[in-house]
Amino acid sequence: MDICIKKLTPEMETDFLYYFDNDAFSDHEEWSACYCLQSHLSKEEDKRCVLKEERRQKAGELVRQGVMTGYLIYDGDKIAGWCNAGDKSDYGPVCADEEFLTDKIEKGRIKVLYCMDIAPGYRGKGVAKAVMERFLADAKEEGYLYVEGYPFSDTKRDYQYRGPIRLYEKYGFELYRKQEWFFIMRKEIL
């Protein structure tokens, strides 16, 4: 395995869409219309934008605009995963939801790791750890005060696309607050 983690740029739209079209949910077809839009669409938009092609177009548009941010994970030329991560202030639906409130929302204060999808065949091989290490290194280099993640509180949930809580604990995140269906895990960047 030759893992390379690259920050998503508008020029990588084709790779991003290819990953979601082909590999992201090859073992769970029922999730194939995801395109990682949950953190970028309001509940009303999400209800209106249900067809896979509509969601694909919307995701491509967000990548081209630089709104969809994060990391594509490559193994040579093959895409091995995706991590949705960026400045919390850029995640409108997250900021508008009181359940995610931690403190004032301002550019450059909090970087979030919203979700991580590792392709079948790459899971359980340390890819998520490598992504977390890159996320934390970038957050420090970019001058963030805090990093946050939102793993599910139901640890038996079939698919932990926000990362398992033990991953956050391993990297020094602490429980900030337990919500009904997820934890807010937070770490101060020193």
Side-chain angles (χ1 to χ4, degrees), residues 4-24:
C4 178
I5 301 165
K6 298 181 182 181
K7 277 189 180 183
L8 182 68
T9 65
E11 296 76 28
M12 296 163 72
E13 175 192 5
T14 301
D15 284 356
F16 175 88
L17 294 174
Y18 180 88
Y19 177 69
F20 279 94
D21 290 344
N22 297 285
D23 297 317

Side-chain angles (χ1 to χ4, degrees), residues 18-180:
Y18 180 88
Y19 177 69
F20 279 94
D21 290 344
N22 297 285
D23 297 317
F25 303 112
S26 59
D27 57 343
H28 283 282
E29 179 61 30
E30 68 274 20
W31 301 330
S32 67
C34 168
Y35 289 94
C36 212
L37 291 173
Q38 183 183 51
S39 60
H40 294 286
L41 298 181
S42 69
K43 289 178 182 175
E44 295 78 30
E45 288 175 303
D46 198 40
K47 287 177 186 174
R48 285 193 314 267
C49 186
V50 295
L51 298 176
K52 186 173 181 176
E53 188 54 38
E54 286 177 304
R55 294 180 71 79
R56 184 183 194 282
Q57 288 176 351
K58 182 66 176 174
E61 177 183 310
L62 294 175
V63 171
R64 285 191 306 277
Q65 293 171 350
V67 173
M68 180 76 74
T69 58
Y71 305 94
L72 278 176
I73 304 130
Y74 292 83
D75 178 13
D77 291 335
K78 182 166 177 50
I79 305 167
W82 157 251
C83 175
N84 184 339
D87 194 293
K88 188 171 184 176
S89 68
D90 293 333
Y91 291 76
V94 172
C95 293
D97 188 336
E98 289 183 8
E99 287 189 302
F100 289 94
L101 184 62
T102 52
D103 64 21
K104 66 181 175 181
I105 305 296
E106 63 182 35
K107 199 84 157 151
R109 185 173 178 79
I110 304 168
K111 186 168 184 167
V112 300
L113 189 157
Y114 191 80
C115 74
M116 188 179 329
D117 180 78
I118 307 301
Y122 290 93
R123 297 176 191 152
K125 297 183 178 183
V127 175
K129 291 175 188 172
V131 172
M132 180 64 84
E133 290 167 7
R134 171 69 186 269
F135 168 75
L136 291 171
D138 284 356
K140 185 173 186 167
E141 183 179 309
E142 293 160 359
Y144 283 92
L145 301 176
Y146 302 97
V147 288
E148 291 180 358
Y150 313 109
F152 294 113
S153 53
D154 177 1
T155 57
K156 292 178 179 38
R157 186 183 174 113
D158 182 37
Y159 184 55
Q160 296 288 331
Y161 65 85
R162 291 189 177 172
I165 191 166
R166 67 186 180 280
L167 177 67
Y168 293 95
E169 291 171 338
K170 177 181 172 116
Y171 286 94
F173 286 71
E174 295 179 356
L175 177 63
Y176 183 85
R177 186 169 58 244
K178 183 182 184 310
Q179 300 296 53
E180 183 178 342

